[in-house]
Amino acid sequence: MKEAKIGVIPGDGTGPEVVREGLKVLAAAADSVGFKYETVEYDIGGDRYLATGEVLPDSVLEELKALDAVFLGAIGHPDVAPGVLEKGILLRIRFELDQYINLRPVKLYEGVETPLANKGPEDIDFVVVRENTEGLYAGAGGFLKKGMPDEVAIQESINTRRGAERCIRFAFEYCRARDKGRKLTLCGKTNVLTFAWDLWDRTFNEVARDYPDIQTDYAHVDAICMWMVKNPEWFDVIVTDNMFGDIITDLGAMVQGGMGIAAGGNLNPEGVSMFEPIGGSAPKYTGKNMINPLAAIAAVQMMLEQLGRADGGSLVEQAIMRACAHDLESMNAGRMGLSTSEVGDLIVRYVLESGVQPDEKHTASKAAANGPGPLATEHKPEKERS
Ligand code: IPM
Ligand code: MG
C-alpha cells in the first residue's frame, strides 16, 4: 500500500536539477522511516509552452487534484513573456487547488552566513504565513483604452472575510503548535490601505479572542522590513496578505542565507499542497551543476511533514543542518564547495546515517564521527524511484 502519490513538476531552468536532488533525498528519508510513496512526473513549463503552446492542460490540473502532494522545481523562462507561466501555471495551481496558505520558514542554520551584522541562528527563526489566493494576486482589474495616450490600468486587491479569517486562524493554530515564542504579528498597512487592512485587522482581533495563549502584535509592512533587518529576533510567526507576503519573504530568504536555502509550502490543509524552493528558475546557472539544491531539499522536508511524516522531515532537516554546519562553504550557486549533485549525495548520506536502526547505529556513528570526509557512494537509496 502506497501512503502517498506525489506529483513532480521539475519545470524550468534549474528546476529539474534541484528536483532530482530533492527526490534522491526523499527516497533516502522514505527508506529510513518506512514511508511508501510513488511519484508521477508532469512535463509543464516554458519549454513545453514554447514547443506546443500548452501552459497547463486542464487534464493535468484535474490529475493534480487527486494527488497527495506536489513537488515543484521552478517556473519562469527567459523566452516567455512575464506572467504567462507564472499566472498560467504557478498561480493557477495555487488558486484552483485552493492552496490558501503560503508557509515560508525563515530559519538561519549554524554555519550559514547572514548579511545581518551580529545576528546568528538564535536570532533568526520565524515563519511567514502568507495568504495565497486573494489580494492583488486575484487578477481583478483591467485596461481601459490600452495603448492610447489616456490609457488606464486598474489592479484591485480582493480581500474576503472568509479568506482573511481562514489564513489568520491557520496562523494562530500554527503559532500554537510551533510553541516557540507564542507570538503572532499581523503585517499590514492600516494607515493607508484603510479598507483591506481594516477588514484584516478586525478579523485578526476577533480571531485572537479564541487564542488567549498567543501574544498578538501589529506592524506596518514597511516597518516589518525594517525590523526584519534590525531585530529579527522579535518575530515568531508573521501573518500577512499575498502581496506583502511575496515581498517580505524574499527579504526573509536573504536574512536566512539566500535563495539557495529558502523553501515554501503552498498549503491547502484540507486538500492537496505544493512544495517548492522559492528561488525561481535561475536560467544563468541552468545545466551547470552549480545551483544549491538545499532549498528544494528543504521543500521535501516540509512535504514530508505535511504528509504526516514528521519523522522523515526531521531526518532531512538534521541532515541539512549537519551539511550547513560542516560541509558547505556558502549557500550561493557555484560557491558551495560542492556541486549540485554532490550536495544531494551528501544529504542522502547523512539522512541514511541518522536514520539507521539502533542495532546498526554503532557502525554508522563511527562513520559520522569521521566527519565530513569524501562523499559516500555506498549509501545510495535501495532502489531509485522514478
Ligand atoms: C513567489 C514568486 C511568485 C509569486 C511568482 C513567481 C509568481 O515570487 O512564489 O514568491 O509572486 O508568488
Ligand atoms: Mg516571491
Side-chain angles (χ1 to χ4, degrees):
M1 251 291 280
K2 302 285 183 213
E3 285 173 68
K5 192 167 172 186
I6 298 169
V8 178
I9 305 177
D12 298 320
T14 50
E17 293 166 62
V18 297
V19 159
R20 195 177 307 127
E21 304 313 311
L23 290 176
K24 268 163 46 178
V25 173
L26 176 63
D31 272 347
S32 297
V33 299
F35 170 61
K36 297 204 174 18
Y37 68 98
E38 58 184 298
T39 57
V40 196
E41 192 172 312
Y42 296 95
D43 171 25
I44 299 294
D47 289 330
R48 172 155 178 186
Y49 172 68
L50 291 170
T52 68
E54 282 180 305
V55 180
L56 175 62
D58 293 344
S59 60
V60 171
L61 193 66
E62 287 314 306
E63 280 187 44
L64 296 181
K65 289 180 184 169
L67 298 169
D68 295 294
V70 179
F71 179 36
L72 172 81
I75 293 297
H77 197 292
D79 302 335
V80 180
V84 174
L85 304 171
E86 292 84 349
K87 288 176 85 170
I89 299 176
L90 190 60
L91 300 187
R92 187 159 175 231
I93 295 174
R94 286 177 182 171
F95 293 172
E96 297 214 20
L97 272 60
D98 202 19
Q99 294 166 339
Y100 60 89
I101 300 296
N102 198 324
L103 189 70
R104 298 190 164 181
V106 178
K107 186 170 179 180
L108 180 70
Y109 291 128
E110 199 67 60
V112 176
E113 199 186 340
T114 174
L116 304 189
N118 307 318
K119 298 292 174 189
E122 62 289 354
D123 304 305
I124 299 168
D125 182 3
F126 61 92
V127 178
V128 177
V129 175
R130 163 185 174 187
E131 200 290 323
N132 212 30
T133 56
E134 301 191 346
L136 278 167
Y137 279 66
F143 290 107
L144 184 64
K145 305 188 193 177
K146 191 174 180 189
M148 293 159 82
D150 50 354
E151 173 173 351
V152 178
I154 295 176
Q155 194 97 47
E156 288 166 309
S157 175
I158 305 291
N159 296 266
T160 69
R161 166 71 198 214
R162 178 171 173 265
E165 181 165 343
R166 66 182 179 171
C167 176
I168 288 167
R169 212 167 266 289
F170 176 93
F172 272 105
E173 290 290 335
Y174 185 85
C175 187
R176 181 183 271 173
R178 167 175 154 92
D179 198 17
K180 187 180 166 273
R182 293 214 165 208
K183 178 176 165 190
L184 180 63
T185 305
L186 176 66
C187 163
K189 192 71 185 174
T190 53
N191 55 346
V192 176
L193 308 178
T194 50
F195 311 130
W197 288 99
D198 186 76
L199 182 149
W200 273 80
D201 194 46
R202 268 183 289 121
T203 309
F204 184 73
N205 291 323
E206 281 169 36
V207 174
R209 288 190 212 123
D210 294 339
Y211 299 88
D213 53 320
I214 306 291
Q215 186 197 336
T216 56
D217 197 7
Y218 170 83
H220 299 316
V221 61
D222 46 349
I224 288 263
C225 291
M226 175 175 76
W227 300 127
M228 269 171 67
V229 171
K230 195 168 181 293
N231 295 97
E233 67 280 4
W234 287 357
F235 298 113
D236 175 22
V237 179
I238 299 174
V239 63
T240 191
D241 80 347
N242 212 340
M243 187 76 256
F244 293 167
D246 178 48
I247 297 167
I248 69 170
T249 55
D250 266 24
L251 178 57
M254 287 304 120
V255 163
Q256 76 182 116
M259 287 301 181
I261 183 95
N266 302 276
L267 310 184
N268 176 341
E270 299 85 35
V272 185
S273 301
M274 176 167 71
F275 300 84
E276 52 173 339
I278 74 174
S281 58
K284 149 170 137 189
Y285 295 112
T286 302
K288 299 206 162 98
N289 203 20
M290 281 173 123
I291 196 82
N292 188 344
L294 283 185
I297 293 169
V300 163
Q301 173 203 329
M302 294 181 78
M303 180 165 73
L304 282 164
E305 287 163 4
Q306 177 73 15
L307 288 168
R309 295 309 302 248
D311 52 352
S314 148
L315 284 183
V316 176
E317 185 176 28
Q318 296 308 315
I320 292 173
M321 289 172 78
R322 191 171 154 197
C324 287
H326 302 292
D327 307 289
L328 268 75
E329 286 165 21
S330 101
M331 288 299 119
N332 301 333
R335 291 196 274 132
M336 299 179 291
L338 295 172
S339 66
T340 306
S341 48
E342 285 171 336
V343 174
D345 291 342
L346 182 68
I347 302 294
V348 163
R349 180 182 129 198
Y350 286 171
V351 163
L352 293 175
E353 280 177 8
S354 54
V356 291
Q357 300 309 309
D359 57 329
E360 299 167 46
K361 213 152 202 156
H362 185 60
T363 17
S365 58
K366 268 204 330 222
N370 291 335
L375 296 170
T377 45
E378 68 271 32
H379 282 302
K380 282 275 158 59
E382 263 157 41
K383 333 174 239 319
E384 292 293 337
R385 293 168 171 82
S386 61

